Amino acid sequence: MSVVAAAPLSPATLERLADGLPGPAQHLAELAELHRQLDALVRQGVEAWLTTLPGQAREAAGALFEAGGKRLRPALVMLAAQAAGGRPEAALPVASAVELLHTGTLLHDDVIDQGEQRRGQPTARVVYGNSVAVLAGDYCFFAALEALLAANDAALMARAVEVARELARGELLQLERRGGAPATERECLEIAACKTGALFAFATWGGARAAQAGPVVEARLDQLGRHLGVAFQLADDLLDLGADPQTLGKELGQDLVGGTPTLPLVYALEADPTLAASLAELAAGPTTPERCAEVAARIRTSGAPERVLARLRVELSQATAGLAPLPPSPARTALAELLRRVERRALEAISR
């Protein structure tokens, strides 16, 4: 899959797209209640599937789900369905499947990355071992496909298989660049589009599909989700360089220590090629938190975070265009607010 850089929309265009959207302050209480209701539905759906896992696999996946997390992806499904004129309940199979797919990828990622913490808790691989973590992740993938069978929609099943392939492709592309030749900007954006954008796009497209909104709205919400996912990943890459570990829910500098190719690293190496030796030293290990923080500080002062923020804003402008066919509603307002929050998340990472 290729990733083509898109020019940001003009301020006038963005203003026109947002025309008719009530200000967030007018709907805070309503949006909070909407989120509570949708999250309760998703919890019921996912927990029902998690109970089908056997023994330690159920404990491993259940502990990860109960540890919290933003549950952003299933929320996107439900919000997209409601914004497209459908009932959120109709999108519950898709929302459950999306969260199960995400849970499976996290269980696998922690094994691949040798992660010690996730959502502020020891990872499943630390508590139960790699074998249980991998098999629990596999089971979550199968449960996601089974959940989608309830929708009785061949297009949903086909798209889920495509998403699973993109998730694996993104992970493989990332692994190929660990400890090898430096990644390029294009490769980092492709990895982000596969690993994060694909599932976000499935969430928003699937919500529109459940609402029977038609191909035009489906395509626009697909666009919204894919670009939002890439922007979210870029913000996550920035947070790895300077967030509070308690807020982040995992160890700081995991990308640096693991040799993971990210856009901040690509831009930092362009600005300061001498960083390559320090990054190789961290990846080779062992290292200390102080040394990791020192390298992260050099990246933060290289100008790379500001370049990443500019690219993130390009992605968000394209995501915002996906709101165009949706009529004003609390769900549409919530989607617009999510876009703004991703930018604020990145800004907070840069300002630390």
Side-chain angles (χ1 to χ4, degrees):
M1 184 190 73
S2 61
V3 179
V4 179
L9 301 180
S10 68
T13 302
L14 291 175
E15 185 176 351
R16 176 172 54 79
L17 289 173
D19 186 38
L21 270 178
Q26 300 177 40
H27 285 290
L28 284 178
E30 190 172 5
L31 293 180
E33 176 60 19
L34 176 62
H35 181 271
R36 188 192 67 77
Q37 292 174 0
L38 298 183
D39 188 61
L41 282 172
V42 171
R43 285 184 64 87
Q44 292 172 15
V46 174
E47 287 172 352
W49 285 107
L50 291 180
T51 60
T52 67
L53 273 72
Q56 287 188 328
R58 179 176 63 251
E59 295 174 15
L64 178 58
F65 181 73
E66 291 300 331
K70 295 171 283 297
R71 283 197 274 278
L72 176 57
R73 293 154 186 83
L76 283 171
V77 177
M78 310 291 262
L79 288 171
Q82 192 156 337
R87 294 170 54 251
E89 294 84 353
L92 186 55
V94 184
S96 298
V98 164
E99 185 63 9
L100 285 164
L101 283 170
H102 182 52
T103 300
T105 62
L106 295 182
L107 289 164
H108 286 172
D109 283 354
D110 287 336
V111 173
I112 294 168
D113 299 336
Q114 300 182 38
E116 301 291 330
Q117 278 195 330
R118 172 74 67 178
R119 295 173 178 168
Q121 303 293 329
T123 56
R125 76 169 195 90
V126 169
V127 178
Y128 301 100
N130 285 341
S131 297
V132 170
V134 169
L135 290 171
D138 291 345
Y139 203 105
C140 285
F141 280 126
F142 301 141
L145 294 175
E146 192 173 356
L148 288 174
L149 288 174
N152 194 29
D153 185 340
L156 272 175
M157 291 297 292
R159 181 66 181 267
V161 171
E162 178 186 337
V163 168
R165 184 174 63 247
E166 284 195 81
L167 290 170
R169 173 176 167 75
E171 196 66 52
L172 287 167
L173 288 172
Q174 183 170 280
L175 281 173
E176 287 176 1
R177 280 291 173 256
R178 282 185 178 172
T184 65
E185 176 188 56
R186 188 179 186 84
E187 286 169 338
C188 286
L189 290 172
E190 185 169 4
I191 290 169
C194 288
K195 288 194 62 178
T196 310
L199 195 52
F200 273 62
F202 182 50
T204 48
W205 174 88
R209 183 83 183 174
Q212 300 181 335
V216 173
V217 175
E218 286 178 15
R220 284 302 189 94
L221 283 173
D222 186 309
Q223 171 187 346
L224 185 153
R226 189 167 297 275
H227 289 285
L228 172 59
V230 174
F232 186 87
Q233 183 59 58
L234 295 181
D236 222 38
D237 294 342
L238 290 173
L239 285 167
D240 187 68
L241 298 172
D244 177 2
Q246 294 297 321
T247 303
L248 194 59
K250 57 184 179 181
E251 303 97 326
L252 190 64
Q254 275 193 322
D255 292 340
L256 298 178
V257 174
T260 302
T262 66
L263 201 56
L265 299 189
V266 170
Y267 288 159
L269 284 169
E270 288 179 5
D272 181 7
T274 65
L275 267 170
S278 297
L279 292 171
E281 175 192 327
L282 286 180
T287 188
T288 64
E290 292 77 16
R291 179 59 178 152
C292 190
E294 178 187 327
V295 176
R298 288 180 63 188
I299 295 170
R300 288 199 305 272
T301 58
S302 70
E306 289 74 18
R307 288 184 65 189
V308 174
L309 179 61
R311 178 67 217 192
L312 179 149
R313 284 170 169 160
V314 171
E315 298 295 336
L316 288 180
S317 71
Q318 297 304 306
T320 301
L323 294 170
L326 304 178
S329 71
R332 187 185 193 270
T333 300
L335 288 171
E337 176 61 16
L338 278 173
L339 299 179
R340 288 189 284 267
R341 287 184 182 180
V342 171
E343 181 175 13
R344 289 200 294 270
R345 194 166 177 253
L347 287 168
E348 288 169 5
I350 290 177
S351 65
R352 285 189 63 84

